[in-house]
Amino acid sequence: MLQFYYNTAPNPMKVALFLEESGLPYEAIPLDTRKGEQFQPDYVAINPNSKAPSIVDDGKPVFDSNAILLYLAEKTGQFLPAPEHAAETLSWLMFIATGIGPYSGQCVHFRHFAPPGNDYGVKRYVFEAERHWGILNDRLAGRDWIVGDSYSIVDMAAWGWERAAAFVLGQEKFDSLTNVKRHFAAINARPAADRAAAIKDRHAFKTEMDEEAKRFMFRHTAT
Ligand SMILES: N[C@@H](CCC(=O)N[C@@H](CS)C(=O)NCC(=O)O)C(=O)O
């Protein structure tokens, strides 16, 4: 059975959604990044980037959430847009992987966790996060799904981050992204989204962002 190393953050949640949508049997294995489990040698052998998520499928490790989505879609033949949409699929998957995700992550860091006195960093990452989300909002104008006419892994990739968008951007800004909000609501209405969201109840994760958690997650502060 496929092993899924996860926590409840945006990138693992995309994969949880695919697994619940597809019906693939899987074993959910918690990776508590606030306790430093991402640095255990057995895990680094699976994911040299020491992040969640990863899967191991038939002994083969796959890491990086959008790579996992693509891998699983190709393996199962499910939720992959039709071949005529291949160019758009790759473009939007990579836009989410390299734009929405990293800028949103840095925006959260600078807005919510960095010590005061980072006005330049806050301004840059808020600007870039808003810019990327604005592009996605424009893309969704007049359409239900990001690529083609049906729900796909590209929508799942966005959903992982849509769950965190109010925290990333602030509620007011998120509310202004009406197309993104409609897209988010459409995915949330799917039973698999409820099942994916419930994965948080399978294991207890550390919730405190205390000194130990910061030591593991903000390692630059120790240098
Ligand atoms: N590019 C990677 C990024 C993964 C990533 O940043 N995961 C976060 C959770 S969303 C994580 O593991 N953070 C823990 C840490 O940074 O130590 C992917 O898409 O899978």
Side-chain angles (χ1 to χ4, degrees), residues 7 9-12 14 31 33 38-39 47 49-53 63-66 97 161 216-217:
N7 62 25
N11 290 309
K14 309 167 183 177
L31 187 81
T33 52
Q38 66 273 41
F39 300 112
N47 186 334
N49 193 28
S50 296
K51 305 272 182 195
F63 67 92
D64 239 88
S65 55
N66 285 17
W161 281 103
F216 289 124
M217 297 188 64

Tab-separated table of all heavy atoms in Angstrom, residues 7 9-12 14 31 33 38-39 47 49-53 63-66 97 161 216-217, ligand 1:
chain	number	residue	atom	x	y	z
A	7	ASN	N	1.454	16.329	6.972
A	7	ASN	CA	0.888	17.088	8.077
A	7	ASN	C	-0.271	17.872	7.468
A	7	ASN	O	-0.659	17.597	6.322
A	7	ASN	CB	1.942	17.967	8.794
A	7	ASN	CG	2.552	19.015	7.891
A	7	ASN	OD1	1.947	19.438	6.910
A	7	ASN	ND2	3.764	19.446	8.201
A	9	ALA	N	-0.620	21.028	6.617
A	9	ALA	CA	-0.266	22.271	5.922
A	9	ALA	C	-0.706	22.186	4.439
A	9	ALA	O	-1.086	21.113	3.946
A	9	ALA	CB	1.231	22.502	6.054
A	10	PRO	N	-0.658	23.318	3.728
A	10	PRO	CA	-1.224	23.368	2.377
A	10	PRO	C	-0.681	22.319	1.396
A	10	PRO	O	-1.459	21.714	0.639
A	10	PRO	CB	-0.864	24.788	1.906
A	10	PRO	CG	-0.818	25.588	3.164
A	10	PRO	CD	-0.250	24.667	4.204
A	11	ASN	N	0.621	22.124	1.362
A	11	ASN	CA	1.150	21.208	0.341
A	11	ASN	C	0.725	19.752	0.571
A	11	ASN	O	0.270	19.091	-0.375
A	11	ASN	CB	2.667	21.363	0.231
A	11	ASN	CG	3.039	22.708	-0.385
A	11	ASN	OD1	2.522	23.076	-1.429
A	11	ASN	ND2	3.913	23.457	0.268
A	12	PRO	N	0.821	19.233	1.792
A	12	PRO	CA	0.297	17.878	2.011
A	12	PRO	C	-1.202	17.754	1.743
A	12	PRO	O	-1.674	16.720	1.248
A	12	PRO	CB	0.601	17.614	3.490
A	12	PRO	CG	1.739	18.516	3.817
A	12	PRO	CD	1.560	19.730	2.970
A	14	LYS	N	-3.064	19.058	-0.524
A	14	LYS	CA	-3.388	18.814	-1.945
A	14	LYS	C	-3.375	17.317	-2.233
A	14	LYS	O	-4.208	16.794	-2.978
A	14	LYS	CB	-2.309	19.391	-2.865
A	14	LYS	CG	-1.891	20.786	-2.681
A	14	LYS	CD	-0.586	21.007	-3.487
A	14	LYS	CE	-0.055	22.387	-3.296
A	14	LYS	NZ	1.232	22.611	-3.985
A	31	LEU	N	3.946	13.368	9.898
A	31	LEU	CA	5.309	13.903	9.938
A	31	LEU	C	5.210	15.218	10.704
A	31	LEU	O	4.730	16.222	10.168
A	31	LEU	CB	5.821	14.141	8.516
A	31	LEU	CG	7.292	14.545	8.467
A	31	LEU	CD1	8.194	13.306	8.577
A	31	LEU	CD2	7.610	15.287	7.183
A	33	THR	N	6.468	18.281	11.739
A	33	THR	CA	7.604	19.143	11.421
A	33	THR	C	7.942	20.068	12.587
A	33	THR	O	9.058	20.572	12.665
A	33	THR	CB	7.328	19.961	10.139
A	33	THR	OG1	6.079	20.625	10.264
A	33	THR	CG2	7.302	19.076	8.917
A	38	GLN	N	11.022	15.834	10.159
A	38	GLN	CA	11.435	15.924	8.739
A	38	GLN	C	12.938	15.738	8.568
A	38	GLN	O	13.407	15.559	7.442
A	38	GLN	CB	10.970	17.264	8.135
A	38	GLN	CG	11.600	18.529	8.686
A	38	GLN	CD	10.889	19.087	9.913
A	38	GLN	OE1	10.499	18.327	10.778
A	38	GLN	NE2	10.767	20.395	10.015
A	39	PHE	N	13.684	15.812	9.674
A	39	PHE	CA	15.145	15.676	9.570
A	39	PHE	C	15.648	14.289	9.973
A	39	PHE	O	16.847	14.043	9.977
A	39	PHE	CB	15.829	16.751	10.424
A	39	PHE	CG	15.444	18.141	9.986
A	39	PHE	CD1	14.679	18.957	10.801
A	39	PHE	CD2	15.811	18.621	8.732
A	39	PHE	CE1	14.286	20.226	10.380
A	39	PHE	CE2	15.424	19.878	8.295
A	39	PHE	CZ	14.661	20.691	9.125
A	47	ASN	N	12.705	12.082	1.266
A	47	ASN	CA	12.551	13.469	0.797
A	47	ASN	C	13.791	14.267	1.191
A	47	ASN	O	13.903	14.760	2.320
A	47	ASN	CB	11.292	14.097	1.417
A	47	ASN	CG	11.003	15.482	0.847
A	47	ASN	OD1	11.919	16.174	0.391
A	47	ASN	ND2	9.747	15.883	0.874
A	49	ASN	N	14.580	17.101	0.678
A	49	ASN	CA	14.255	18.501	0.999
A	49	ASN	C	13.700	18.638	2.412
A	49	ASN	O	13.432	19.757	2.869
A	49	ASN	CB	13.242	19.025	-0.039
A	49	ASN	CG	13.077	20.517	-0.003
A	49	ASN	OD1	13.992	21.241	0.380
A	49	ASN	ND2	11.904	20.997	-0.391
A	50	SER	N	13.489	17.523	3.116
A	50	SER	CA	13.001	17.552	4.513
A	50	SER	C	11.724	18.365	4.692
A	50	SER	O	11.619	19.195	5.601
A	50	SER	CB	14.093	18.107	5.446
A	50	SER	OG	15.198	17.256	5.465
A	51	LYS	N	10.768	18.145	3.807
A	51	LYS	CA	9.474	18.838	3.910
A	51	LYS	C	8.355	17.820	3.739
A	51	LYS	O	8.570	16.719	3.214
A	51	LYS	CB	9.325	19.889	2.800
A	51	LYS	CG	10.439	20.918	2.727
A	51	LYS	CD	10.180	22.100	3.618
A	51	LYS	CE	11.289	23.124	3.477
A	51	LYS	NZ	11.300	24.100	4.533
A	52	ALA	N	7.150	18.211	4.087
A	52	ALA	CA	5.956	17.413	3.810
A	52	ALA	C	5.253	18.039	2.602
A	52	ALA	O	5.250	19.275	2.483
A	52	ALA	CB	5.032	17.424	5.019
A	53	PRO	N	4.690	17.219	1.715
A	53	PRO	CA	4.471	15.778	1.797
A	53	PRO	C	5.515	14.976	1.008
A	53	PRO	O	6.287	15.520	0.235
A	53	PRO	CB	3.119	15.637	1.087
A	53	PRO	CG	3.237	16.635	-0.050
A	53	PRO	CD	3.999	17.797	0.541
A	63	PHE	N	8.659	12.979	-3.972
A	63	PHE	CA	8.504	14.150	-3.102
A	63	PHE	C	8.183	15.373	-3.934
A	63	PHE	O	8.366	15.389	-5.143
A	63	PHE	CB	9.743	14.379	-2.223
A	63	PHE	CG	10.992	14.782	-2.967
A	63	PHE	CD1	11.296	16.129	-3.158
A	63	PHE	CD2	11.871	13.835	-3.472
A	63	PHE	CE1	12.448	16.514	-3.840
A	63	PHE	CE2	13.018	14.204	-4.154
A	63	PHE	CZ	13.324	15.553	-4.341
A	64	ASP	N	7.680	16.394	-3.268
A	64	ASP	CA	7.222	17.668	-3.816
A	64	ASP	C	5.760	17.514	-4.273
A	64	ASP	O	5.463	16.698	-5.165
A	64	ASP	CB	8.103	18.180	-4.966
A	64	ASP	CG	8.652	19.558	-4.588
A	64	ASP	OD1	9.711	19.627	-3.946
A	64	ASP	OD2	7.974	20.552	-4.875
A	65	SER	N	4.896	18.307	-3.667
A	65	SER	CA	3.456	18.041	-3.777
A	65	SER	C	2.931	18.017	-5.209
A	65	SER	O	2.139	17.139	-5.566
A	65	SER	CB	2.674	19.060	-2.945
A	65	SER	OG	3.008	20.383	-3.330
A	66	ASN	N	3.351	18.957	-6.044
A	66	ASN	CA	2.785	18.964	-7.391
A	66	ASN	C	3.356	17.830	-8.239
A	66	ASN	O	2.677	17.307	-9.125
A	66	ASN	CB	2.977	20.332	-8.060
A	66	ASN	CG	2.001	21.362	-7.488
A	66	ASN	OD1	1.430	21.168	-6.424
A	66	ASN	ND2	1.800	22.454	-8.196
A	97	ALA	N	3.060	25.782	-8.027
A	97	ALA	CA	4.201	25.228	-7.284
A	97	ALA	C	5.274	26.270	-7.001
A	97	ALA	O	5.880	26.282	-5.934
A	97	ALA	CB	4.809	24.061	-8.060
A	161	TRP	N	-3.745	25.553	-1.077
A	161	TRP	CA	-3.396	26.920	-0.650
A	161	TRP	C	-4.617	27.782	-0.395
A	161	TRP	O	-4.568	28.706	0.428
A	161	TRP	CB	-2.441	27.550	-1.669
A	161	TRP	CG	-1.053	27.045	-1.439
A	161	TRP	CD1	-0.386	26.093	-2.157
A	161	TRP	CD2	-0.181	27.413	-0.362
A	161	TRP	NE1	0.851	25.860	-1.600
A	161	TRP	CE2	0.998	26.657	-0.494
A	161	TRP	CE3	-0.294	28.303	0.710
A	161	TRP	CZ2	2.071	26.764	0.398
A	161	TRP	CZ3	0.779	28.414	1.596
A	161	TRP	CH2	1.938	27.649	1.435
A	216	PHE	N	13.305	24.073	14.547
A	216	PHE	CA	13.231	23.138	13.413
A	216	PHE	C	12.720	23.809	12.141
A	216	PHE	O	13.129	23.455	11.040
A	216	PHE	CB	12.322	21.946	13.756
A	216	PHE	CG	12.938	21.020	14.761
A	216	PHE	CD1	12.282	20.709	15.942
A	216	PHE	CD2	14.190	20.455	14.527
A	216	PHE	CE1	12.856	19.846	16.872
A	216	PHE	CE2	14.774	19.600	15.455
A	216	PHE	CZ	14.103	19.294	16.635
A	217	MET	N	11.818	24.754	12.286
A	217	MET	CA	11.159	25.296	11.085
A	217	MET	C	11.804	26.574	10.564
A	217	MET	O	11.676	26.895	9.392
A	217	MET	CB	9.676	25.506	11.363
A	217	MET	CG	9.015	24.153	11.654
A	217	MET	SD	7.258	24.243	11.769
A	217	MET	CE	6.797	24.750	10.128
B	1	LIG	N1	7.927	22.362	-2.725
B	1	LIG	C1	7.491	21.561	-1.636
B	1	LIG	C2	7.311	22.421	-0.405
B	1	LIG	C3	6.898	21.603	0.790
B	1	LIG	C4	6.754	22.446	2.043
B	1	LIG	O1	7.229	23.581	2.146
B	1	LIG	N2	6.096	21.846	3.024
B	1	LIG	C5	5.872	22.515	4.277
B	1	LIG	C6	4.425	22.288	4.677
B	1	LIG	S1	3.337	23.077	3.529
B	1	LIG	C7	6.783	21.916	5.337
B	1	LIG	O2	7.066	20.740	5.321
B	1	LIG	N3	7.264	22.741	6.271
B	1	LIG	C8	8.081	22.291	7.339
B	1	LIG	C9	9.435	22.947	7.360
B	1	LIG	O3	9.650	23.899	6.595
B	1	LIG	O4	10.286	22.491	8.149
B	1	LIG	C10	6.165	20.854	-1.995
B	1	LIG	O5	5.380	21.424	-2.752
B	1	LIG	O6	5.941	19.728	-1.516
